[in-house]
Amino acid sequence: DAGVIQSPRHEVTEMGQEVTLRCKPISGHDYLFWYRQTMMRGLELLIYFNNNVPIDDSGMPEDRFSAKMPNASFSTLKIQPSEPRDSAVYFCASRVLAGASGADTQYFGPGTRLTVL
Amino acid sequence: AQTVTQSQPEMSVQEAETVTLSCTYDTSENNYYLFWYKQPPSRQMILVIRQEAYKQQNATENRFSVNFQKAAKSFSLKISDSQLGDTAMYFCAFMGFQGAQKLVFGQGTRLTINP
C-alpha cells in the first residue's frame, strides 16, 4: 500500500490567497483526520471524518478553514483567505475499518509545510 | 478532557545506550489506547508502539518497549541499544474508546543519539 498521500509537500503563498491541501487516505480506511503542527501549540486535531461525513470540526480555528471529503479516497482542507499565523505543517491521517486488527492505529501522511508570507 | 504530558523536552544519549522517555496522562476512562510516535527530521509521523489499556502485558517491538502503569497513568518508552537513526522527536498520544476518535498528543521529547 502507498500509505497516506498528501499534496503539495510544500506550499508558499501570500497573505490573502486561497490555499488548498489535499489528502488521499489508505484504501479501505473509513476514518480521516486533519491535524496541524506548530511550535506553539504542538499537534492539534482540526477535523475528522467517518465514512466521508464530518464528525467533529471543533478544532477548526475559524471560518476561514473548511474541509471536505467528497468520496472515500479524497479530502481537501482549504484556507481562504490565508494569514501568516496559518503557517504550520498540516498532516492527514487515516484509520483502518473499525473492528479490524489494528483499528485503533492512525497512519499519517508526510505532511504539507505551509508558509504564508 | 484528556491530557498528555511529556516532562522531558530534550534528551541526549550515546549510541548503544538505553534511554527511557516519560509520559503521563489524565483520563477518567477505563479503556483506551496509548501510542508512541516518532517524528524524524523528515517530519513523517511514524508509529513506534501501541498499548491497549485493558492488556496488562507491556507492549514490545524489537528494541522498543513500554512500561505501562495504569494506576499511575504512566506510559514510558524504553529504547534499548539506541542507534543514530533513533534521533527524532517522540510523541506520546492517547485515544479513548468513547466519544471522539481522536489522538491527544503530548508536547514531544527531542531525542538525540550521539555517535
Side-chain angles (χ1 to χ4, degrees):
Chain A
D1 200 318
V4 177
I5 298 172
Q6 290 187 248
S7 65
R9 293 294 307 276
H10 300 89
E11 177 80 23
V12 179
T13 190
E14 292 188 347
M15 183 174 63
Q17 296 298 306
E18 178 180 292
V19 175
T20 300
L21 310 182
R22 297 173 177 80
C23 175
K24 176 180 170 56
I26 295 172
S27 177
H29 283 195
D30 61 348
Y31 282 86
L32 184 139
F33 304 81
W34 283 101
Y35 291 89
R36 179 172 67 176
Q37 184 178 33
T38 61
M39 289 294 292
M40 290 296 294
R41 299 174 67 89
L43 277 154
E44 52 183 346
L45 177 71
L46 300 177
I47 185 171
Y48 79 95
F49 296 82
N50 178 217
N51 291 323
N52 313 336
V53 176
I55 302 301
D56 183 355
D57 65 354
S58 60
M60 296 286 263
E62 48 198 273
D63 292 344
R64 297 186 297 107
F65 286 70
S66 62
K68 294 182 180 180
M69 192 166 185
N71 56 62
S73 60
F74 183 66
S75 177
T76 60
L77 177 67
K78 186 176 293 187
I79 308 172
Q80 167 64 19
S82 58
E83 297 182 2
R85 60 193 169 117
D86 302 330
S87 297
V89 179
Y90 291 82
F91 286 100
C92 176
S94 69
R95 204 183 84 179
V96 75
L97 289 168
S101 175
D104 48 281
T105 300
Q106 293 182 22
Y107 296 90
F108 283 75
T112 295
R113 180 178 291 280
L114 173 65
T115 302
V116 183
L117 303 174
Chain B
Q2 293 88 0
T3 59
V4 178
T5 302
Q6 294 177 247
S7 58
Q8 305 151 312
E10 294 188 24
M11 296 188 72
S12 179
V13 298
Q14 296 298 119
E15 192 175 8
E17 289 184 347
T18 294
V19 60
T20 299
L21 309 183
S22 300
C23 172
T24 58
Y25 58 94
D26 187 27
T27 182
S28 58
E29 295 186 42
N30 189 49
N31 291 320
Y32 45 87
Y33 296 102
L34 295 164
F35 305 84
W36 279 98
Y37 280 89
K38 167 185 176 181
Q39 188 178 39
S42 66
R43 77 168 179 260
Q44 175 79 48
M45 293 289 287
I46 302 166
L47 178 68
V48 175
I49 200 166
R50 56 188 272 265
Q51 174 82 41
E52 293 92 340
Y54 56 86
K55 291 185 178 179
Q56 292 184 341
Q57 186 174 9
N58 289 325
T60 62
E61 288 288 342
N62 301 314
R63 298 183 295 108
F64 299 87
S65 61
V66 298
N67 182 5
F68 173 49
Q69 301 291 326
K70 191 173 183 180
K73 295 181 181 176
S74 170
F75 183 62
S76 61
L77 174 69
K78 185 173 81 171
I79 306 174
S80 303
D81 185 26
S82 58
Q83 301 174 358
L84 297 179
D86 295 334
T87 293
M89 282 288 289
Y90 286 80
F91 293 93
C92 178
F94 170 100
M95 188 180 81
F97 273 44
Q98 302 173 359
Q101 300 289 318
K102 65 181 183 181
L103 286 169
V104 177
F105 286 92
Q107 307 91 317
T109 295
R110 183 176 301 281
L111 175 64
T112 301
I113 309 299
N114 299 307

